[in-house]
Amino acid sequence: MNLLLVIEIFVAAGVSALLVRNAMTTNWRDAGTGTYVGFGMAGLLLLAVIHYYFKTKYFPVNPDMPEGSFFRWALQGLVIFGISGWFFREFGKAVGTEGSRRLFRSMPVTASFGVLTILAYAFVALFAGPIPLSMVVLVAVIGALISGVTLNVSGVTAMRIGYGITVVLTATCLVMYFCGGLAPYGEAEILPRANLLPGGNAATGGDPAHLLGTDQIGRDILSRLIYGARNTVGIAFITTCLAFLIGGTFGFLAATLGGWTDQVCSRIVDALMAIPQLIFALLLMTIATAWAGSNGALITLYMILIIAVLDSTRVYRLSRAVGLNIVVMDYIEAARLRGENLIYLIFREILPNATAPLLAEFGLRFCFVFLTIAALSFLGIGIQPPRADWGTMVRDLGQFINFARSSPLTAALPLMCAGAIALLTVAVNFVVDWMLHQSSGLKG
Amino acid sequence: MPDKEMLVKVRDLKIEGRAGEIWTQIVNGVNIDLHRGEVLGLIGESGAGKSTIGLAAMGFTRDGCRISGGTVEFDGIDLVNASAPQKRSLLGRRIAYVAQSAAASFNPAHKLIDQHTEAPTWHGVYGRTEAEEDAVSLYARLRLPNPDEIGFRYPHQVSGGQLQRAMTAMAMSCRPDLIVFDEPTTALDVTTQIEVLAAIRDIVDRFDTAALYITHDLAVVAQMADRIKVLLKGDEVEEADTRTMLAAPREDYTKSLWAVRSFVRNQKPPAPGNEVPVVSVKNVVAAYGKVPVLHGIDFDIHAGRTVAVVGESGSGKSTLARCITGLLPPLSGSVEFDGVALPADYRKRNRNQLREVQMIYQMADTALNPRKTIREIIGRPVEFYLGLRGEAKRMRVEELLEQIELEPAMFIDRLPSELSGGQKQRIGIARALAAEPKFIICDEVTSALDQLVAEGILKLLANLQDELNLSYMFITHDLATVRAIADEVVVMKAGKVAEAGPKNVMFTPPHHPYTGLLLSSVPEMDPDWLTTLLNERGIDNIGDAASEKVG
């Protein structure tokens, strides 16, 4: 009955759009009927969303059993993210060098939101816990050194920008040094009160000191969520870099040398890729766990190596394909005839022309690695407790989802961890999409 | 032909192109009148807006371009403001387009005849069966071999010249009133080109089709067009009847275009018999895998001389260059440099041997690394071979840039994408010079360039030769270039040397039959040239067919 009504409404909207079509001018004139039906449907959907949002908020059916809170949070999140992305882009357009401003002008809101999110994750990951003073000094010294070197390579402007960035970074580090980390408690710190509910309201079983409550053995969930950024994102980043080092090196070697090198490398990669990745990873992790015994750090190290090798097969495929396209160019032939060695060929002639597709792949690969780590941790063989990790946290807090009707905030706890994973994945993809669009030269 | 009715009327056409967010005008008010059955030639250098105007005459602009002013009328229909469905009913049916590269324009996944019949069946001109029958008759008309069968091949199974004719047949499929030909023979050899030209002219006459013929080759347009319009940077220079235009061009620019082909360098006297040649190719036999390509090539190149190697594509010219550079080690025979045999494989040559033999490529776009600045591109061989660094290296790079007549301060920090085609080719020359070689292989270095620019490059190469006593091996299929720059000529056919000798001997009769065929296939500025040639040889005796008979 309801379905029929919905269909009828859509059809009516489409027909009315068709009528509107005649009145439209130039740009709309050539659009097909489907376009109008689509616009009609989208408009109706928007109306339905707004209606549901306010109905559940102000006229709940049963005040004791709140309804639609997840829907409202999602919608609020969407709006907030959109606005923050837009503001970040406006900020980028107004501040910075001519080059960076042009970059921001060419960005869609999705990409600027992606960049903002990635920066926020990096910030949280770096400053989750207290940082040592030596790190502040290190940032200042390395920044100054790099800026100094750029003077010779890229000129005075680049050096000024370098020093500017160094000053900002050092100042941030210094502030964070005195603040002593973002997380209010340690990631493995066990506090006296376990099973506190989130919300910080003492009347409903919470504690203002623990905004998101504590878990079964009394660890602060907010702190663990913040530390999770450092562990999950950091380990995923290291793993991806390693995968690119392995896959990229062999891929370019295979493309440049060809012949036997190519055959051997490619067949090994084929063999590795023939086994479903997650199952293969599980298998290897089982072996690795047996080797490592109860040493949690060693298990994590094995996991990094295993995932890096498995993912490097995909990187190999891409860098070999990209490399092959570049190797046939005349400038490579010219360099070979000049007598250049392999290292020069790969790093100075091929790599600069392969950066765009490789960077895009880096973004995507990072997401896959990140998800694999979370999946392995969820299954209990990834990052080991007491180290906080989002995958493990989803598993630990998973049963709270049963309280969705009575206490939405409690049920949201595992969703926050999962959402943190999802948000970063989406953000990275936004940026990658934009970069691919830029490098492929597609316009309009 | 004022007696025929007007078909295309373009008035004050202005087109803008977008670079980033800025729109700049690239066509500044061009007028075109084209009557039914008439052929108008549009000529000019690249960047003159020829193709843009040709497409605009069909009511179409490329992405990033827009018509900003003026009118385009086709048979009374306003194409600028026509709606998409209206244009759809015209394009393919009454207006057709033949692109420069047929190989890139055919869909490689479908058979020729399927692509041919798409337009007539879609427009409802013919049913599928009739369209196929018509395709076969058009293939026969265009003298494609096996017209009954050739349509059932895929594009990659057909040669370049045949593909170009198949594309013309496809454009003809609905018997359009107007065809726009965009450089249809630029990518072809002289012997193949003549075939396509004859076929196009025949079919355009036969069906009384009007055509816009876009090209940068004056001799070609002289054969094809009734009237010629000269364009320069989006402006009309002049327009006149073909014969008037050829005999008495009014504007200076047109005269300069006409004069390009007159650059000829004096032939140097042959080297003394006892002089050791710089490069000596001795009985080189080479093959790709099991496919033999070169069958015993022998010739010498002396100091300060230019040897032009000519022949059609597939004759083994470029393979020969690969043998000399060592990229393709020959099966037998050797390449001697200053009397000493070079190792066959370039990997086994020492740095000095590599330095002495340099190469300039046909496509400057792919020969320069797009991510490196001119400073890095030219600086690398300077540093690599001569060990210069820092200030000394910078000085040497600037000196080289001056030698190739580019202002160092302006160009040294640019990327290749910020240069024009001719400038890129000059950078390629500078990179070769940076190694301070004795011998340079020039692989079709001017074939991708406009005539005026190509002439500049040839003059530069000639001056550098006089200055530095360089030896060139000049690979080309353009006999005008040979006439301009060569001292000696080697004619290659199917991996063998058909004839070799000093230029003056080669260009005066009696010729070896194949040399004669190549020479007589080069279009001349005389508008009656093609007609005369066809009368002499007969339409079945030109191009590939003739080439096979001679071979």
Side-chain angles (χ1 to χ4, degrees):
Chain A
M1 172 57 201
N2 269 338
L3 189 68
L4 268 179
L5 190 69
V6 169
I7 293 172
E8 268 171 32
I9 292 170
F10 280 157
V11 170
V15 171
S16 58
L18 269 177
L19 293 175
V20 173
R21 173 181 181 165
N22 295 332
M24 294 282 188
T25 47
T26 49
N27 279 340
W28 285 82
R29 192 180 53 186
D30 296 338
T33 318
T35 316
Y36 292 96
V37 177
F39 272 111
M41 288 164 97
L44 281 177
L45 204 64
L46 191 67
L47 283 179
V49 165
I50 293 170
H51 172 245
Y52 186 67
Y53 183 92
F54 287 105
K55 189 190 138 204
T56 51
K57 190 170 165 70
Y58 294 110
F59 311 103
V61 182
N62 179 355
D64 297 331
M65 297 283 262
E67 193 191 343
S69 18
F70 291 107
F71 175 77
R72 282 202 302 277
W73 285 335
L75 212 60
Q76 284 159 3
L78 196 67
V79 171
I80 291 169
F81 289 156
I83 292 173
S84 60
W86 186 79
F87 269 111
F88 183 61
R89 187 175 66 170
E90 293 305 307
F91 174 76
K93 278 185 195 170
V95 181
T97 62
E98 181 51 39
S100 77
R101 281 200 294 226
R102 189 170 340 124
L103 206 62
F104 273 98
R105 277 202 295 273
S106 71
M107 248 183 212
V109 175
T110 48
S112 79
F113 167 68
V115 173
L116 179 66
T117 310
I118 291 169
L119 285 179
Y121 270 70
F123 180 76
V124 173
L126 282 176
F127 302 114
I131 54 166
L133 188 61
S134 57
M135 185 172 144
V136 183
V137 178
L138 209 64
V139 166
V141 171
I142 292 179
L145 278 179
I146 292 178
S147 312
V149 172
T150 37
L151 175 62
N152 291 330
V153 184
S154 326
V156 183
T157 330
M159 185 196 68
R160 289 211 184 111
I161 296 168
Y163 278 123
I165 294 174
T166 310
V167 168
V168 171
L169 281 183
T170 315
T172 319
C173 288
L174 210 60
V175 169
M176 291 317 293
Y177 170 73
F178 286 114
C179 293
L182 292 168
Y185 302 93
E187 62 176 317
E189 200 179 340
I190 296 173
L191 302 158
R193 294 185 64 193
N195 283 328
L196 279 173
L197 284 180
N201 185 350
T204 56
D207 183 340
H210 306 284
L211 269 182
L212 292 182
T214 52
D215 64 7
Q216 293 96 323
I217 56 171
R219 293 176 299 195
D220 183 53
I221 290 178
L222 179 63
S223 302
R224 285 179 69 75
L225 202 59
I226 291 171
Y227 272 102
R230 172 181 284 183
N231 295 329
T232 319
V233 178
I235 289 175
F237 186 73
I238 293 169
T239 312
T240 319
C241 288
L242 202 58
F244 266 74
L245 197 69
I246 302 170
T249 310
F250 281 98
F252 285 138
L253 272 180
T256 323
L257 293 175
W260 279 106
T261 323
D262 185 18
Q263 283 296 327
V264 170
C265 292
S266 297
R267 295 301 81 78
I268 291 174
V269 164
D270 284 352
L272 285 179
M273 286 178 96
I275 307 164
Q277 201 188 3
L278 191 61
I279 293 173
F280 199 24
L282 279 174
L283 179 79
L284 292 177
M285 278 311 292
T286 318
I287 301 169
T289 319
W291 284 350
S294 58
N295 188 339
L298 205 55
I299 293 182
T300 310
L301 181 70
Y302 282 139
M303 184 190 68
I304 291 177
L305 290 178
I306 287 169
I307 298 179
V309 169
L310 291 185
D311 268 274
S312 72
T313 55
R314 271 81 177 170
V315 180
Y316 170 88
R317 278 281 181 90
L318 179 81
S319 46
R320 179 176 169 273
V322 173
L324 279 179
N325 279 335
I326 299 171
V327 158
V328 295
M329 291 291 178
D330 288 338
Y331 56 85
I332 302 293
E333 190 182 298
R336 280 187 166 160
L337 285 177
R338 203 185 303 142
E340 301 284 6
N341 60 29
L342 201 58
I343 309 256
Y344 180 90
L345 275 182
I346 290 180
F347 286 99
R348 304 298 298 278
E349 298 278 355
I350 299 178
L351 195 60
N353 291 291
T355 32
L358 282 185
L359 266 178
E361 174 70 9
F362 187 90
L364 290 179
R365 200 45 43 203
F366 174 77
C367 295
F368 283 117
V369 168
F370 188 65
L371 292 173
T372 314
I373 290 177
L376 287 180
S377 303
F378 178 81
L379 293 171
I381 51 173
I383 300 168
Q384 295 299 309
R387 205 166 272 278
D389 159 76
W390 291 335
T392 323
M393 287 173 74
V394 172
R395 184 187 52 170
D396 290 349
L397 304 170
Q399 63 271 40
F400 287 164
I401 205 99
N402 297 327
F403 303 116
R405 286 297 280 192
S406 57
S407 169
L409 197 57
T410 313
L413 284 179
L415 294 181
M416 279 180 201
C417 308
I421 297 173
L423 187 62
L424 183 59
T425 315
V426 170
V428 169
N429 273 298
F430 278 159
V431 177
V432 166
D433 271 354
W434 169 65
M435 276 170 46
L436 277 180
H437 191 265
Q438 288 288 99
S439 69
S440 68
L442 296 171
K443 296 281 179 288
Chain B
M1 288 170 222
D3 49 321
K4 297 221 177 173
E5 93 189 81
M6 181 84 88
L7 187 66
V8 180
K9 194 162 127 191
V10 175
R11 283 291 170 270
D12 197 27
L13 177 68
K14 292 193 178 80
I15 299 173
E16 289 181 345
R18 186 175 58 183
E21 288 151 29
I22 306 145
W23 291 89
T24 39
Q25 194 154 314
I26 51 176
V27 173
N28 321 312
V30 168
N31 301 317
I32 292 174
D33 289 314
L34 189 61
H35 303 269
R36 223 172 254 284
E38 188 186 30
V39 180
L40 174 68
L42 291 180
I43 63 166
E45 302 167 62
S46 47
K50 308 185 293 283
S51 300
T52 315
I53 294 170
L55 289 172
M58 307 168 61
F60 180 80
T61 52
R62 290 206 178 94
D63 277 352
C65 288
R66 64 177 183 202
I67 296 177
S68 57
T71 57
V72 178
E73 268 181 35
F74 173 80
D75 205 10
I77 304 161
D78 177 7
L79 286 183
V80 177
N81 295 314
S83 69
Q86 217 176 342
K87 279 188 201 166
R88 267 201 294 277
S89 69
L90 287 176
L91 295 178
R93 169 75 189 83
R94 297 189 62 196
I95 308 176
Y97 179 71
V98 176
Q100 174 171 7
S101 169
S105 304
F106 272 106
N107 186 334
H110 296 287
K111 290 173 186 156
L112 293 179
I113 204 155
D114 292 341
Q115 303 187 48
H116 184 114
T117 52
E118 196 182 345
T121 44
W122 193 88
H123 285 291
V125 181
Y126 297 118
R128 169 82 200 190
T129 330
E130 292 150 298
E132 280 185 16
E133 281 164 14
D134 183 60
V136 171
S137 72
L138 278 174
Y139 291 152
R141 183 85 216 167
L142 285 159
R143 311 206 158 263
L144 282 162
N146 309 326
D148 293 329
E149 176 266 335
I150 195 165
F152 295 92
R153 296 199 206 162
Y154 288 94
H156 68 270
Q157 297 171 312
V158 181
S159 79
Q162 290 167 2
L163 211 52
Q164 201 71 51
R165 277 180 281 168
M167 181 123 190
T168 311
M170 190 160 94
M172 270 296 170
S173 62
C174 295
R175 304 290 182 276
D177 299 317
L178 169 69
I179 302 186
V180 177
F181 290 99
D182 193 352
E183 310 240 13
T185 61
T186 307
L188 305 175
D189 289 325
V190 275
T191 47
T192 319
Q193 162 170 300
I194 193 170
E195 239 168 32
V196 177
L197 290 182
I200 290 177
R201 208 170 69 165
D202 173 60
I203 206 151
V204 168
D205 279 352
R206 173 95 169 75
F207 297 113
D208 203 23
T209 314
L212 273 181
Y213 197 96
I214 299 165
T215 180
H216 66 260
D217 191 333
L218 294 163
V220 166
V221 85
Q223 312 310 318
M224 307 303 287
D226 302 315
R227 280 185 300 135
I228 297 178
K229 184 189 279 292
V230 183
L231 297 165
L232 174 65
K233 293 185 181 131
D235 285 310
E236 254 181 82
V237 178
E238 64 177 308
E239 182 186 331
D241 186 63
T242 302
R243 280 167 204 282
T244 326
M245 182 71 107
L246 290 174
R250 284 196 311 272
E251 302 292 324
D252 286 343
Y253 175 70
T254 319
K255 284 178 193 156
S256 77
L257 277 180
W258 266 227
V260 167
R261 290 183 165 241
S262 59
F263 169 64
V264 176
R265 190 158 176 260
N266 288 334
Q267 185 181 339
K268 291 184 182 152
N274 56 356
E275 192 192 274
V276 179
V278 172
V279 171
S280 176
V281 179
K282 303 225 156 165
N283 197 25
V284 163
V285 177
Y288 287 118
K290 287 203 174 67
V291 186
V293 184
L294 297 178
H295 312 274
I297 305 285
D298 260 306
F299 66 91
D300 293 341
I301 302 171
H302 288 272
R305 302 295 190 284
T306 304
V307 173
V309 177
V310 291
E312 321 177 356
S313 48
S315 60
K317 307 186 297 287
S318 297
T319 311
L320 182 60
R322 289 172 68 83
C323 286
I324 296 175
T325 53
L327 282 168
L328 181 76
L331 293 178
S332 69
S334 65
V335 178
E336 288 179 5
F337 188 84
D338 273 345
V340 183
L342 288 171
D345 191 332
Y346 75 94
R347 293 184 197 89
K348 299 204 176 72
R349 296 184 185 174
N350 64 34
R351 200 171 273 203
N352 203 40
Q353 285 168 332
L354 289 170
R355 182 181 66 76
E356 294 283 20
V357 180
Q358 289 293 316
M359 184 136 175
I360 307 172
Y361 294 86
Q362 174 177 14
M363 305 297 296
D365 288 319
T366 60
L368 305 178
N369 192 330
R371 300 275 167 178
K372 294 192 160 194
T373 61
I374 304 309
R375 182 199 299 275
E376 290 169 301
I377 290 172
I378 304 179
R380 180 63 190 173
V382 170
E383 185 185 322
F384 187 80
Y385 289 126
L386 310 174
L388 298 181
R389 276 169 203 285
E391 189 64 10
K393 178 170 140 187
R394 188 185 61 82
M395 302 262 288
R396 177 69 185 136
V397 171
E398 287 180 358
E399 198 183 330
L400 282 163
L401 280 172
E402 270 161 21
Q403 253 176 340
I404 55 162
E405 293 154 23
L406 294 180
E407 177 62 38
M410 257 178 80
F411 289 96
I412 198 160
D413 283 318
R414 289 203 196 173
L415 289 170
S417 55
E418 296 163 324
L419 301 179
S420 73
Q423 288 166 346
K424 277 185 217 167
Q425 198 54 282
R426 279 167 193 263
I427 299 299
I429 294 172
R431 181 174 61 186
L433 288 181
E436 302 187 358
K438 265 191 176 169
F439 172 59
I440 299 183
I441 299 172
C442 306
D443 189 356
E444 304 261 14
V445 286
T446 55
S447 64
L449 302 172
D450 292 320
Q451 289 178 21
L452 276 175
V453 181
E455 192 201 7
I457 297 283
L458 290 181
K459 280 183 178 160
L460 173 68
L461 285 171
N463 291 343
L464 289 169
Q465 183 167 49
D466 295 341
E467 218 172 292
L468 306 166
N469 200 32
L470 295 166
S471 307
Y472 295 140
M473 177 172 128
F474 215 96
I475 297 172
T476 183
H477 66 255
D478 180 14
L479 290 163
T481 311
V482 176
R483 200 168 275 160
I485 198 167
D487 298 311
E488 283 167 55
V489 183
V490 174
V491 179
M492 285 185 67
K493 167 139 179 82
K496 291 192 187 105
V497 175
E499 198 186 4
K503 175 172 73 174
N504 52 5
V505 178
M506 297 291 284
F507 277 98
T508 30
H511 302 293
H512 179 277
Y514 182 64
T515 316
L517 178 74
L518 280 184
L519 284 174
S520 64
S521 301
V522 178
E524 284 166 23
M525 297 289 273
D526 173 12
D528 296 321
W529 169 78
L530 185 60
T531 322
T532 322
L533 190 79
L534 291 179
N535 288 340
E536 272 173 21
R537 289 203 213 155
I539 195 154
D540 286 324
N541 225 355
I542 53 170
D544 288 344
S547 168
E548 272 159 36
K549 278 176 202 165
V550 169

